[in-house]
């Protein structure tokens, strides 16, 4: 493992259990910092209400850590907007926010318009399809931002069970992460190899940073933000926090194939024009007190065309 990644992992990996909501509410009051929670939502009627209710009850009413909870409706065909509003969220629509800019499809559009529709100094993004959401997710994401001015962006890390027709298997979620995003980051942005969940849908950042980078319109948004914020602020301004376990609604393999395509487009549009890609791949295992990084060499060599070999040796086909 690269020494810089080992150092980053040690210095910038936190546990959500480190902080309490009341402690952070006091910290943000003392700093005069405001906090917005943004949920991008497309047809999330079954799950959005419980998430909004949990954030509002625990982090707005019981403890004043969060100032606004905004659900960004991406054109839902179900009752997402009504359910979110009934739970107390302010609901905005991607067609009306920054209407002069029109509307493009995709999650990143919802996040970009969520940033426009809110005012918090700190912005927390939470997917609206989470099952078993815990308000401590928001507390954990805000912890590093409210206790270290040198940190500007915090990604969630967690175990990702996979719901299958046979039930829930303890791992296996994050399929595009494991098969596409992690290999791409390790190859072309090895300094970011320490992120356990580079595509996690829960993250928080300082508005002053988030407003300086583009938001990729579709599912490339997480990949794009990670690479662009690292380039803007430096890897040491980024951190990750262990939230334990995260369960969410899963898409089909075909849909994940399209997601992978968008992430590949995003990566290739940012590909550093350096030399050969790095050959090390860092994967992660859950341990009793955190995560363990395991480094693999995925370098490949190649044999020359057989025609060239034959030309060299004057050989002919057997
Ligand atoms: O065009 C879109 C696609 C997704 N989402 C929301 O973005 C979050 C993550 O999307 P999804 O669950 O489809 O991705 P996955 O978690 O399966 O990777 C969810 O709250 C979606 O409702 C959205 O607002 N607009
Ligand atoms: O991490 C992943 O591989 C994908 C798919 O997760 P699953 O295989 O359905 O658990 O989910 C994430 O990626 C999306 C693209 O960045 C994010 O928008 C989602 O919030 C995140 O869940």
């Amino acid at each position: 493992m690269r020494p810089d990644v080992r150092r980053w992992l040690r210095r910038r990996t936190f546990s959500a259990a480190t902080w309490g909501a009341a402690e952070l509410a006091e910290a943000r009051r003392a700093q005069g910092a405001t906090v917005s929670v943004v949920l991008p939502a497309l047809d999330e009627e079954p799950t959005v209400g419980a998430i909004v209710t949990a954030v509002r009850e625990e982090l707005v009413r019981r403890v004043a850590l969060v100032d606004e909870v905004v659900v960004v409706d991406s054109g839902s065909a179900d009752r997402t907007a009504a359910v979110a509003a009934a739970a107390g969220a302010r609901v905005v629509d991607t067609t009306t926010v920054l209407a002069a800019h029109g509307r493009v499809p995709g999650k990143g559009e919802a996040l970009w318009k969520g940033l426009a529709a809110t005012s918090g100094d700190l912005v927390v993004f939470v997917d609206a399809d989470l099952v078993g959401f815990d308000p401590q997710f928001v507390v954990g994401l805000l912890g590093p931002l409210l206790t270290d001015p040198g940190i500007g962006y915090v990604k969630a890390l967690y175990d990702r069970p996979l719901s299958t027709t046979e039930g829930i298997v303890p791992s296996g979620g994050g399929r595009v992460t494991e098969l596409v995003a992690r290999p791409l980051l390790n190859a072309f942005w090895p300094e970011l190899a320490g992120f356990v969940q580079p595509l996690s849908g829960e993250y928080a950042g300082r508005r002053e940073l988030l407003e300086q980078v583009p938001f990729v319109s579709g599912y490339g948004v997480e990949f794009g933000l990670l690479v662009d914020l690292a380039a803007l602020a430096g890897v040491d301004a980024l951190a990750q926090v262990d939230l334990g376990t995260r369960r969410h609604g899963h898409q089909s393999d075909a849909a994940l194939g399209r997601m992978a395509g968008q992430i590949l487009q995003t990566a290739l549009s940012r590909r550093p024009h350096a030399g050969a890609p790095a050959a090390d791949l860092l994967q992660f295992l859950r341990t009793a007190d955190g995560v363990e990084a395991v480094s693999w060499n995925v370098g490949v060599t190649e044999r020359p065309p057989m025609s060239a070999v034959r030309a060299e040796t004057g050989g002919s086909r057997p």
Side-chain angles (χ1 to χ4, degrees), residues 87-150:
R90 173 160 62 91
V91 181
V92 298
D93 194 294
T94 51
T95 54
T96 53
V97 177
L98 292 181
H101 291 259
R103 174 182 179 271
V104 299
K107 179 187 181 182
E109 175 82 350
L111 297 179
W112 187 64
K113 294 201 170 175
L115 187 64
T118 54
S119 59
D121 302 312
L122 305 179
V123 185
V124 186
F125 295 106
V126 175
D127 280 359
D129 66 337
L130 300 188
V131 176
F133 169 80
D134 183 339
Q136 189 65 18
F137 283 13
V138 173
V139 176
L141 289 167
L142 288 170
L145 295 171
L146 285 168
T147 54
D148 185 339

Side-chain angles (χ1 to χ4, degrees), residues 13-205:
T13 302
F14 301 95
S15 166
T18 306
W19 299 282
E23 159 198 3
L24 293 187
E26 177 50 33
R28 72 76 169 243
R29 188 199 59 76
Q31 295 171 31
T34 54
V35 176
S36 302
V37 173
V38 174
L39 291 86
L42 178 64
D43 298 329
E44 303 297 5
E45 174 184 350
T47 49
V48 68
I51 300 168
V52 170
T53 299
V55 175
R56 282 189 49 80
E57 284 304 310
E58 289 302 310
L59 304 179
V60 177
R61 291 160 58 100
R62 191 174 69 80
V63 174
L65 178 56
V66 170
D67 297 288
E68 58 177 348
V69 181
V70 174
V71 169
V72 184
D73 189 353
S74 283
S76 300
D78 66 6
R79 299 183 62 254
T80 293
V83 169
R90 173 160 62 91
V91 181
V92 298
D93 194 294
T94 51
T95 54
T96 53
V97 177
L98 292 181
H101 291 259
R103 174 182 179 271
V104 299
K107 179 187 181 182
E109 175 82 350
L111 297 179
W112 187 64
K113 294 201 170 175
L115 187 64
T118 54
S119 59
D121 302 312
L122 305 179
V123 185
V124 186
F125 295 106
V126 175
D127 280 359
D129 66 337
L130 300 188
V131 176
F133 169 80
D134 183 339
Q136 189 65 18
F137 283 13
V138 173
V139 176
L141 289 167
L142 288 170
L145 295 171
L146 285 168
T147 54
D148 185 339
I151 294 176
Y153 188 66
V154 182
K155 291 283 291 184
L157 77 89
Y158 27 52
D159 296 341
R160 300 187 64 173
L162 184 64
S163 305
T164 70
T165 50
E166 285 79 47
I168 297 175
V169 293
S171 63
R175 290 159 291 177
V176 179
T177 294
E178 300 307 333
L179 298 175
V180 178
R182 192 182 310 289
L184 273 172
L185 283 171
N186 277 257
F188 299 124
W189 294 274
E191 67 278 10
L192 297 177
F195 279 90
V196 180
Q197 292 296 344
L199 299 187
S200 55
E202 290 66 48
Y203 40 99

Side-chain angles (χ1 to χ4, degrees), residues 266-315:
T266 304
L268 294 179
S269 67
R270 289 160 169 77
R271 159 90 164 85
H273 299 289
D280 291 328
L281 174 65
L282 215 51
Q283 294 180 322
F284 296 91
L285 302 173
R286 171 64 79 180
T287 60
D289 56 357
V291 291
E292 178 191 350
V294 180
S295 182
W296 300 85
N297 184 304
V298 294
V300 294
T301 59
E302 56 187 41
R303 292 296 196 183
M306 192 52 69
S307 57
V309 176
R310 288 208 185 91
E312 281 170 12
T313 59

